[in-house]
Amino acid sequence: MPEETFVIVGASLAGAKAAETLRAEGFAGRVVLIGDEPERPYDRPPLSKGFLTGAEPREKAFLHEEGWYGEQRVELRLGTAAAAIDRAAHEVRLASGESVRYDRLLLATGASPRRLDVPGATLQGIHYLRTMADAAELKRALAPGGRRVVIAGAGWIGLETAAAARGHRNDVTVIDPEPVPLHAALGPEMGGMFAALHRLHGVDLRLDQGVAGFWGAGQVSAVVTSGGAEVPADVVIVGIGARPNTRLAEEAGLEVSDGVLVDASLRTSDPDIYAAGDVANAYNPLLGRRIRVEHWANALNGGPAAARAMLGRDVSYDRIPYFYTDQYDLGMEMSGAPAPGEYDAVVTRGDVASREFIAFWLSDGRVVAGMNVNVWDVTGDIQNLIRSAARPDRDALADTKTPLSDLL
Ligand SMILES: Cc1cc2nc3c(=O)[nH]c(=O)nc-3n(C[C@H](O)[C@H](O)[C@H](O)COP(=O)(O)OP(=O)(O)OC[C@H]3O[C@@H](n4cnc5c(N)ncnc54)[C@H](O)[C@@H]3O)c2cc1C
């Protein structure tokens, strides 16, 4: 009998945490972790924050010491892409031509930046940010300072890199077609708060207009907006969202629709194949619908949940989406996903102007999301409010003297 083998494709947060969990839960068979990047698994959030500003060394981003993989008998295959899945043979074919047999397979292939397809898009000096290699290149471009940096997209990546670029004393312009930054993630009310923050720190925010193209002779020298303006640029960063890496799953005939479709136990349409992290579009029993979450905590918790399910444990993955960001002196945590159209009111407690407050998004009186800004140790209470589906009194919700736990 060949040794029972669990294969994980994607050596990043979801994949590495799944491997760790398999061993922690006592799995004694082979664990093979396949990744196409050259580095061992690392955290991506520092790439647009401490690593980019220079506050944190590269080494801090790695998830495990180099020796951990050998100690835990996790066979790490780096710099190797999985090219195809043969479901009938239970094999993953690698780009090198080698095949690895699996009993259970986890897809943790994450997401890749959406590309801006406009004239001039291949000029030098246009950056995307997903990998450690991307971040190192971007840091080399930003660190000297005194450069004209233009950022396409006022989402999380765009705003965090804007803050890092300002930290290196560059001139920064951010261009976005929506009326406020983070419109799709937070809606207009709190998007406006982020606009004020960045303007206060000297960012030229150009909203209600997109990027129509780039000028330059080899190297980018200007960005052309949809309004026809030309914005001079030495460095361009494109942060316009990400797409799930579903090619392997699609070609293997798994069900895919904005991510690999999985049930609440993170199992795909093939009972021996699971998916977790950014690539998974999972049924969330708490929300009563599928959701694809492109956030760190979802990979951190989803990888282990999938590992437990692969071991035959009862798993119902019902985490509330959670996200955090750091920009200048603002630190925030977000629970829930309050896209425009999915709430009807926003209530705040604390002082929005001095950026020390909590915002609650309500739908029909129920709290569906909450964001704490420079206020700490309240995530548990906010998530309890969301889970409870209670309809708290709005004045009490806005009153800093009323403990959140009293509102349940
Ligand atoms: C710059 C940046 C900053 C971020 N900041 C935050 C933050 O502040 N807060 C937050 O909540 N989230 C943040 N995120 C999001 C967070 O990092 C992701 O949600 C998380 O990395 C998802 O982990 P994952 O393991 O699912 O996928 P990924 O981290 O995308 O990893 C997938 C891995 O699989 C590899 N792969 C893909 N296809 C194959 C294949 N066929 N064969 C082999 N390997 C393959 C990829 O190259 C990659 O290494 C940030 C992301 C970025 C890029």
Side-chain angles (χ1 to χ4, degrees):
M1 266 285 272
E3 190 179 9
E4 190 174 23
T5 303
F6 284 9
V7 173
I8 302 167
V9 179
S12 183
L13 185 58
K17 286 287 161 189
E20 185 184 305
T21 304
L22 288 174
R23 287 294 179 238
E25 295 277 331
F27 179 65
R30 272 182 88 194
V31 177
V32 185
L33 181 55
I34 299 164
D36 58 4
E37 292 185 65
E39 294 86 5
R40 69 183 192 272
Y42 58 86
D43 255 338
R44 290 180 207 277
L47 302 184
S48 52
K49 306 179 188 66
F51 178 86
L52 203 55
T53 60
E56 279 177 29
R58 175 181 185 273
E59 285 305 310
K60 249 194 106 176
F62 291 107
L63 296 173
H64 298 103
E65 297 291 331
E66 213 165 342
W68 180 88
Y69 296 90
E71 284 159 23
Q72 294 293 318
R73 289 189 306 112
V74 172
E75 296 174 38
L76 193 54
R77 307 279 181 91
L78 296 176
T80 311
I85 302 166
D86 182 339
R87 288 167 54 197
H90 273 60
E91 277 179 0
V92 176
R93 189 162 48 74
L94 307 186
S96 60
E98 185 196 348
S99 285
V100 185
R101 194 193 57 79
Y102 66 83
D103 292 288
R104 296 267 155 89
L105 173 65
L106 173 63
L107 297 176
T109 49
S112 298
R114 281 184 51 208
R115 300 268 149 182
L116 197 53
D117 186 18
V118 294
T122 57
L123 288 168
Q124 293 292 310
I126 300 176
H127 296 257
Y128 288 81
L129 179 55
R130 185 76 196 179
T131 66
M132 206 170 236
D134 296 337
E137 205 178 307
L138 183 57
K139 190 176 173 184
R140 274 193 294 278
L142 299 179
R147 315 195 75 178
R148 295 165 304 181
V149 178
V150 179
I151 300 174
W156 298 116
I157 297 282
L159 295 188
E160 290 181 1
T161 54
R166 288 296 295 143
H168 288 297
R169 297 178 193 282
N170 297 287
D171 288 337
V172 178
T173 305
V174 177
I175 300 170
D176 194 287
E178 297 292 347
V180 294
L182 299 166
H183 190 264
L186 303 181
E189 302 84 356
M190 288 298 124
M193 191 273 299
F194 277 93
L197 172 75
H198 281 267
R199 287 190 166 125
L200 182 74
H201 284 86
V203 172
D204 179 2
L205 264 184
R206 310 235 185 145
L207 300 167
D208 289 315
Q209 55 196 306
V211 168
F214 302 106
W215 288 124
Q219 165 74 32
V220 69
S221 58
V223 176
V224 184
T225 72
S226 53
E230 261 184 51
V231 187
D234 305 306
V235 179
V236 169
I237 304 168
V238 180
I240 56 167
R243 282 187 204 289
N245 294 325
T246 54
R247 188 187 58 78
L248 267 184
E250 268 168 67
E251 290 178 3
L254 298 175
E255 284 177 18
V256 170
S257 170
D258 181 32
V260 179
L261 296 186
V262 291
D263 63 16
S265 69
L266 306 183
R267 182 144 54 171
T268 69
S269 49
D270 179 323
D272 291 330
I273 306 181
Y274 295 73
D278 281 14
V279 78
N281 189 350
Y283 181 78
N284 183 310
L286 180 73
L287 305 177
R289 62 180 166 92
R290 282 188 200 276
I291 183 165
R292 193 172 70 76
V293 180
E294 282 177 1
H295 297 330
W296 176 86
N298 179 55
L300 181 81
N301 299 309
R308 283 190 285 274
M310 290 163 83
L311 292 168
R313 313 275 149 80
D314 231 357
V315 168
S316 178
Y317 187 68
D318 67 350
R319 294 254 172 181
I320 293 171
Y322 168 89
F323 176 79
Y324 67 91
T325 187
D326 297 310
Q327 299 171 29
Y328 312 107
D329 54 357
L330 176 146
M332 78 77 145
E333 296 174 287
M334 174 92 209
S335 296
E342 287 175 19
Y343 65 89
D344 47 43
V346 177
V347 172
T348 56
R349 68 158 52 195
D351 187 5
V352 179
S354 66
R355 284 179 287 280
E356 201 174 315
F357 67 98
I358 306 176
F360 300 95
W361 283 259
L362 275 66
S363 175
D364 192 22
R366 296 189 170 92
V367 177
V368 292
M371 171 173 86
N372 45 304
V373 174
N374 291 334
V375 172
W376 304 110
D377 299 323
V378 289
T379 298
D381 287 331
I382 292 172
Q383 295 203 352
N384 286 340
L385 268 175
I386 297 172
R387 275 184 194 280
S388 73
R391 288 193 169 88
D393 178 79
R394 285 196 191 194
D395 291 336
L397 198 55
D399 174 19
T400 50
K401 292 191 198 67
T402 307
L404 290 177
S405 50
D406 287 5
L407 299 172
L408 286 174

